[in-house]
Amino acid sequence: MSVNIKVLLFASAREAAGNIAEVAITLEENSSNTATFRKKMAEDYPKLGSMVLDEDSLTLALNEEYVPAGEIIELKNGDTIALIPPISGG
């Protein structure tokens, strides 16, 4: 069985993915976690790869809750993950 995830992309993550704001990805149920999610996004969107694999460059929000760096969380069918790059400005 597979796990379908809705992905929202913002700012530089959106640009790196070809200006796509939202995508759907599918992970295998036995390996559906935030670590395999990052790898799958890097494979599917190579220009996003270095950013999505670096937890310091891109924060994940799972169902509107930030995922702490280094923490691996199991994903469920229907989850939504937002890719949030660092915010700069002044």
Side-chain angles (χ1 to χ4, degrees):
M1 189 164 177
S2 56
V3 175
N4 296 305
I5 307 294
K6 177 180 173 180
V7 184
L8 306 175
L9 298 99
F10 297 97
S12 57
R14 178 183 293 181
E15 292 169 16
N19 288 318
I20 299 170
E22 183 178 315
V23 297
I25 68 162
T26 302
L27 299 172
E28 293 301 316
E29 187 174 32
N30 61 349
S31 64
S32 59
N33 60 52
T34 51
T36 56
F37 166 80
R38 285 181 180 269
K39 291 176 188 168
K40 172 78 170 149
M41 288 298 294
E43 289 171 9
D44 290 356
Y45 300 93
K47 291 182 180 176
L48 183 63
S50 62
M51 184 185 302
V52 77
L53 293 173
D54 181 359
E55 292 187 26
D56 293 327
S57 291
L58 192 84
T59 301
L60 300 182
L62 172 60
N63 300 323
E64 300 182 7
E65 298 276 335
Y66 285 112
V67 176
E71 191 170 319
I72 297 174
I73 298 174
E74 290 297 316
L75 301 174
K76 300 179 299 301
N77 194 48
D79 280 346
T80 298
I81 294 182
L83 304 183
I84 305 170
I87 298 171
S88 62

